[in-house]
Amino acid sequence: MVDDRDTLIARTPEQFRRKLDIEVQVEHEVIDIDVKSQRIAIRAHGIPNSWEPYDDLVIATGSAPIVPAWDGIAADGIFAVKTLLDGARIRHYIDAKKPRHAVVVGGGYIGLEMAENLRQVGLETTLIEQLPEVMASLDPDMGALVSQGLRELGVRLNLEQSVAGLEVSGGRIRAIHTDSGSLPCDLLILGLGVRPASELARHAGVALGVKDAIRVDPYLRTSIPSIWAVGDVAESTNLITGQPGYVALATVANKQGRIAGLNLSGASIPFAGVLGTAITRVGALEIARTGLNLTEAKAVQRDVVDMRIQSETKLGYFPDVAPITVKLVADRKSHQLLGGQIVGGSGSGKRIDTIAVAATARMTVHDLVDLDLAYAPPFSDVWDPVQVAARALSSKLMR
Amino acid sequence: MEKRLLIIGGDGAGMTAASQAKRRDPKRVVRAFEKGPVTSYSA
């Protein structure tokens, strides 16, 4: 965790005003969009105070953490995590209330990061996940490696369990009941993912699409003239399937923001789409994914072949050599690379970018084998681990 | 009259759109509204 919250904030409102002449008003909530008269209603510090006219409007309301409707969900000691400020609130709660039994529900990026941090500050930590392994954006065989990494950090994993209810007394969370028992809990973290914060848009009549994200065309225009949508509130097209999808990732949000900003100033640039490329770290373990995994490929009826290999991040005589597991997924007929997953030690994760580039360029597995990638002993073996996997998959496809 | 661009949400996506639009068209009035206490952070 970074200690000083302010070091994480990229730009302040003062900087926007001074450097770019952009007026940013914080603690100003937009409560209504009047699409006919092209104006928005603002509530400042809780008080409705003005209508502002627009020629163009960008909706970038982001996402909100998913909060289930369990009885007692509003009790003290329960936190739905999404942003920076949530982390600060939890830290404050730990310092003030000294909880001992932390439970994290949900084994995705946020759940994993929270579980690791809670262990680091010395709390007994249990992670509850419905699926057989954590990290559902990976296939279960790769997720199992992550589950093992979490156990090694001292996180107790309750897999294939779902929450049945909460026990609250004196306004505070005391225990959590699951379909296979109860466990004491005085700090509950919800890492159940996010949903688009699209209520304002829906209310204004802007068309929604996948998972209630705002539907956008390739230029990031919504269904209503002069209104654009970008970031976690908007849909994004999957590069492999060509279908609209929903991912809430900062990389995508910033790219969409750039393109909408150019297009509403007269450019005409389509947003190419996304692979859902993502990376994280749990303890010393680096975890990354891009494109379609097996489960996703099967869901869109692709006939696919996969390959998983284990290799090392550099030559074996370096003291910091680490194991790396790479999995690739390809189309059985065209041999096109559809996606990849990586779990391994230091130096593993960013190798996903090679796979992301290959998938974007619609390379076949054989093209990936032939790529001229950098090699020297401190960095890689002669065959990069990604190419070790590509070679094995290439042979399998040509059999 | 200058064209007015309004942005709802002061995080990475909204502020990137604001900055790009302002750079390409400096005469445009650009205003962003954020319901929380901070803007664009790097998470």
Side-chain angles (χ1 to χ4, degrees):
Chain A
M1 254 190 199
V2 183
D3 281 315
D4 182 1
R5 200 191 82 190
D6 292 340
T7 62
L8 282 175
I9 296 172
R11 271 209 183 103
T12 63
E14 290 70 41
Q15 287 173 315
F16 278 112
R17 190 169 300 129
R18 212 176 51 242
K19 292 188 182 155
L20 294 163
D21 187 27
I22 294 170
E23 174 98 15
V24 189
Q25 282 166 303
V26 295
E27 289 178 43
H28 279 57
E29 185 179 7
V30 176
I31 51 174
D32 200 7
I33 304 170
D34 174 356
V35 302
K36 233 183 231 153
S37 321
Q38 299 209 162
R39 55 182 195 154
I40 59 177
I42 318 284
R43 180 160 62 195
H45 306 282
I47 304 156
N49 75 340
S50 63
W51 285 94
E52 294 286 339
Y54 64 82
D55 296 292
D56 283 291
L57 180 68
V58 173
I59 303 178
T61 42
S63 56
I66 292 171
V67 179
W70 299 330
D71 278 347
I73 194 74
D76 273 356
I78 303 178
F79 297 87
V81 181
K82 186 181 101 73
T83 71
L84 188 60
L85 296 172
D86 300 322
R89 280 193 303 136
I90 294 165
R91 187 166 249 202
H92 181 76
Y93 186 86
I94 292 172
D95 291 343
K97 299 287 171 70
K98 311 264 185 272
R100 288 166 52 216
H101 308 285
V103 175
V104 176
V105 182
Y109 296 94
I110 286 175
L112 264 50
E113 188 170 324
M114 289 307 305
E116 178 180 1
N117 279 300
L118 293 168
R119 276 304 298 155
Q120 256 171 19
V121 298
L123 273 73
E124 180 204 289
T125 306
T126 305
L127 188 147
I128 298 176
E129 166 60 50
Q130 273 187 320
L131 296 169
E133 301 294 347
V134 297
M135 221 54 197
S137 65
L138 306 180
D139 288 322
D141 57 337
M142 297 296 283
L145 302 172
V146 183
S147 297
Q148 188 51 35
L150 274 172
R151 287 189 193 101
E152 283 165 15
L153 291 176
V155 175
R156 186 183 305 145
L157 287 190
N158 289 13
L159 300 173
E160 295 182 273
Q161 276 192 17
S162 34
V163 175
L166 308 177
E167 193 174 310
V168 171
S169 69
R172 285 182 66 182
I173 180 79
R174 308 288 174 177
I176 183 159
H177 305 301
T178 74
D179 50 2
S180 50
S182 292
L183 51 158
C185 170
D186 47 14
L187 174 63
L188 174 60
I189 307 293
L190 302 170
L192 295 166
V194 298
R195 58 174 184 81
S198 56
E199 295 87 353
L200 180 69
R202 180 209 298 270
H203 183 73
V206 177
L208 306 185
V210 178
K211 291 188 179 171
D212 282 344
I214 296 175
R215 184 183 300 157
V216 286
D217 73 6
Y219 304 93
L220 301 168
R221 291 181 294 229
T222 68
S223 62
I224 293 187
S226 304
I227 302 186
W228 312 69
V230 294
D232 287 5
V233 75
E235 281 182 340
S236 47
T237 303
N238 186 294
L239 265 178
I240 304 286
T241 64
Q243 298 301 306
Y246 180 66
V247 295
L249 291 169
T251 45
V252 176
N254 282 277
K255 282 169 195 145
Q256 288 185 331
R258 173 179 167 274
I259 288 177
L262 294 172
N263 287 344
L264 64 84
S265 324
S268 190
I269 304 166
F271 179 60
V274 303
L275 292 166
T277 309
I279 187 167
T280 191
R281 192 169 60 188
V282 173
L285 208 57
E286 299 182 0
I287 301 147
R289 57 93 61 217
T290 190
L292 303 186
N293 63 31
L294 264 189
T295 317
E296 291 162 339
K298 283 175 182 158
V300 292
Q301 274 94 45
R302 294 291 286 252
D303 185 11
V304 295
V305 183
D306 69 300
M307 175 57 66
R308 189 183 74 236
I309 62 96
Q310 218 203 329
S311 181
E312 290 183 327
T313 52
K314 55 183 75 176
L315 288 191
Y317 52 79
F318 283 90
D320 56 344
V321 61
I324 170 172
T325 304
V326 179
K327 180 170 181 173
L328 296 177
V329 176
D331 187 276
R332 187 187 299 274
K333 240 187 255 132
S334 67
H335 300 184
Q336 185 191 336
L337 184 71
L338 302 179
Q341 301 156 55
I342 295 176
V343 178
S346 179
S348 297
K350 278 297 272 181
R351 286 182 149 109
I352 202 71
D353 288 340
T354 306
I355 305 174
V357 170
T360 303
R362 291 175 164 61
M363 287 185 192
T364 66
V365 174
H366 321 297
D367 295 332
L368 180 52
V369 175
D370 291 340
L371 275 187
D372 186 10
L373 301 181
Y375 155 72
F379 303 100
S380 170
D381 205 333
V382 178
W383 290 94
D384 185 276
V386 167
Q387 291 181 307
V388 173
R391 266 179 64 179
L393 183 52
S394 173
S395 311
K396 187 174 175 181
L397 283 164
M398 291 193 297
R399 269 206 293 272
Chain B
M1 219 174 82
E2 301 108 339
K3 281 184 83 174
R4 289 170 57 89
L5 167 62
L6 301 186
I7 314 273
I8 312 176
D11 212 334
M15 295 318 297
T16 306
S19 310
Q20 282 297 333
K22 188 74 187 177
R23 284 205 185 97
R24 280 191 50 118
D25 183 5
K27 284 207 302 264
R28 184 192 291 257
V29 174
V30 182
R31 292 184 67 188
F33 302 93
E34 165 58 44
K35 72 173 174 184
V38 295
T39 51
S40 182
Y41 62 87
S42 62

